[in-house]
Amino acid sequence: MNRRPLPQDPMMRALITQARQMQLNRRTLLAGAGAGATALALAACSTGGSQGKPTPAADTSETDKTLNWANWAAYIDEDDSGAYPTLERFTEETGITVNYEVAVDDNNTYYGKVKDQLALGKDIGADTAVLTDWMAARWIRFGYTQELNHDNIPNIVNLNPALRDPDFDKGRAHTLPWQGGFAGICWNKEAIPGGIESVEDLWNSELKGRVGVLSEMRDTMGLILQQNGVDIASDWGDPEFDEAIEVLRAQVESGQVRNIKGNSYLEDLKSEDTLAAICWSGDITVINAEAGDKWEFAIPTAGGTLWNDNFLVPIGSPRKANAEALMNFYYDPEVAAEVAAWVNFITPVAGAKEAAIAIDPELAENQLIFPNEETLSNAHIFRSLSGAEEQKYQAQFQSILLGA
């Protein structure tokens, strides 16, 4: 394919040149999930919030130009030296130095580490953390987040209109989406040349002991529920969940499922401990760029899940305005397109698709970043759970995680 000439604008020239090299330069920082992570996940089943809500920390951003950001692995643009180009540019433009930490392996284990400090209103060492909708909803419900000052985030006007008023955070008072994506299925194309189409295919006897599933309950159980014919966005309850959890229990106890993990499931794919898995969409692009084009992702025939991960400011952070400056920077469409070119998840920023066309027209057609209505029609949002439902379903799921 012939490349179009680079534009004269220095920023856009750098953006396009870097994006053309992104696929060869991806790196991930992943750690295995062990017994300690499992214990934290069990601790996170506690609903918390029994005491009065803590008060926000005083903001020292005017005199303290630093920021601690807790995020997931492979979730920001990174060059071959391990640096984060957009973060470096943010520091140049604002003078705010960012300590970027790959601290979130899954929502429950991260919450298990910090929930006691949150309940006391203490600084957890993160001025912004990126968490999935349902976990962000929990933090908001318990009073563990600070209200955002939208005046400090003028680029919030670029938020996709469909994401502006979620039921867990009306008007985006406490959160802003970072990236979104699908949970689906993936497989090693060399080991499974015929591919797979459904969750049911993961239970094929030839894959025994070589299947992985996610430790995020809503993604793994969401796919199994849909395989059972349940619309996960609709009014279902205990009977449907109980039936689905028994499917998972049987596959774990039989040895069909080898591992239940968070982000570290990618290491199992790379080592070929697992040959097929329930997985997250953008991760498969990452692993293909890093370790060879060996894996394929698909939304299962019965449906995938659709989710967003969100910026939030923990209640004890003393640098809220610095976090808001970071959010504003990443809601610039050109910056959002640069991140999307690397992470291959769904960007929440309107105008990013048009900016992506300048990077590479094919990038703008990538259904994992800019999905059309047909793609979205086969992915569904796991319905909101009551506190009692969340505690019950998570406890059932975690009991299986312990036995895996």
Side-chain angles (χ1 to χ4, degrees):
M1 181 180 70
N2 292 330
R3 296 286 189 181
R4 65 176 63 184
L6 292 177
Q8 296 302 309
D9 180 78
M11 178 178 173
M12 285 304 298
R13 285 178 64 88
L15 176 66
I16 294 169
T17 299
Q18 180 186 344
R20 287 179 179 175
Q21 298 173 350
M22 285 292 184
Q23 299 300 322
L24 299 178
N25 292 338
R26 293 171 183 262
R27 293 161 54 102
T28 55
L29 298 173
L30 300 169
T38 302
L40 285 168
L42 279 176
C45 289
S46 170
T47 57
S50 59
Q51 300 177 348
K53 293 182 179 181
T55 57
D59 195 344
T60 61
S61 295
E62 285 193 12
T63 57
D64 183 355
K65 297 300 181 182
T66 62
L67 176 70
N68 298 314
W69 181 3
N71 205 351
W72 303 68
Y75 221 16
I76 193 173
D77 54 301
E78 187 174 348
D79 64 23
D80 56 1
S81 70
Y84 308 114
T86 56
L87 264 187
E88 290 181 340
R89 195 155 68 246
F90 170 75
T91 297
E92 291 172 1
E93 293 184 9
T94 65
I96 299 170
T97 301
V98 180
N99 172 35
Y100 183 85
E101 185 179 2
V102 179
V104 186
D105 185 61
D106 74 15
N107 287 285
N108 271 315
T109 54
Y110 184 72
Y111 179 64
K113 294 175 184 177
V114 301
K115 66 186 183 70
D116 292 340
Q117 293 165 280
L118 288 168
L120 295 172
K122 301 296 186 181
D123 184 359
I124 64 171
D127 301 301
T128 187
V130 174
L131 300 173
T132 309
D133 290 337
W134 65 270
M135 181 58 78
R138 180 189 294 182
W139 285 38
I140 294 168
R141 187 167 68 249
F142 294 164
Y144 293 168
T145 62
Q146 299 189 43
E147 187 168 344
L148 301 177
N149 181 353
H150 290 179
D151 289 342
N152 290 337
I153 316 172
N155 282 337
I156 198 173
V157 297
N158 297 324
L159 174 61
N160 185 319
L163 302 174
R164 290 178 181 173
D165 201 34
D167 60 359
F168 68 89
D169 186 22
K170 291 294 186 180
R172 289 291 177 181
H174 295 263
T175 64
L176 272 183
W178 166 242
Q179 306 289 319
F182 306 108
I185 52 177
C186 62
W187 62 94
N188 184 310
K189 295 185 289 186
E190 295 176 357
I192 313 172
I196 59 177
E197 296 182 346
S198 68
V199 171
E200 194 69 26
D201 290 339
L202 295 174
W203 316 145
N204 290 342
S205 58
E206 58 266 29
L207 290 176
K208 186 170 183 177
R210 310 298 291 278
V211 174
V213 301
L214 293 170
S215 59
E216 287 290 329
M217 182 269 287
R218 285 162 175 79
D219 289 328
T220 290
M221 295 309 300
L223 265 62
I224 295 174
L225 281 161
Q226 290 179 103
Q227 181 66 48
N228 285 354
V230 176
D231 178 358
I232 60 172
S234 71
D235 186 20
W236 54 269
D238 289 358
E240 292 84 359
F241 190 87
D242 290 345
E243 181 180 354
I245 202 76
E246 289 310 312
V247 171
L248 178 62
R249 189 185 309 278
Q251 300 304 329
V252 171
E253 291 181 351
S254 72
Q256 183 76 16
V257 171
R258 183 184 184 100
N259 291 316
I260 305 177
K261 290 188 176 180
N263 248 145
S264 54
Y265 78 92
L266 291 178
E267 290 300 296
D268 294 334
L269 288 174
K270 288 192 290 186
S271 68
E272 299 190 5
D273 282 349
T274 55
L275 299 178
I278 292 176
C279 60
W280 290 309
S281 52
D283 287 347
I284 304 309
T285 302
V286 171
I287 192 175
N288 277 332
E290 177 182 295
D293 186 21
K294 294 171 59 177
W295 296 272
E296 185 77 20
F297 172 87
I299 296 175
T301 51
T305 64
L306 178 64
W307 44 264
N308 275 286
D309 291 333
N310 306 271
F311 284 115
L312 54 77
V313 179
I315 192 69
S317 164
R319 290 171 284 270
K320 182 171 78 81
N322 290 348
E324 291 163 343
L326 183 82
M327 298 176 202
N328 189 62
F329 176 80
Y330 279 103
Y331 266 68
D332 180 297
E334 291 183 351
V335 177
E338 185 172 353
V339 173
W342 203 94
V343 301
N344 278 260
F345 283 104
I346 303 169
T347 176
V349 179
K353 182 173 183 177
E354 291 72 18
I357 292 173
I359 298 174
D360 188 333
E362 290 185 3
L363 177 68
E365 299 304 317
N366 187 326
Q367 289 299 296
L368 301 183
I369 306 174
F370 304 106
N372 58 28
E373 289 302 315
E374 181 180 358
T375 300
L376 290 172
S377 69
N378 201 31
H380 308 281
I381 298 172
F382 197 101
R383 73 165 176 84
S384 296
L385 300 178
S386 68
E389 286 176 325
E390 181 178 333
Q391 188 169 13
K392 178 180 179 180
Y393 297 161
Q394 190 68 48
Q396 289 178 270
F397 184 73
Q398 296 294 346
S399 72
I400 295 177
L401 190 155
L402 271 181

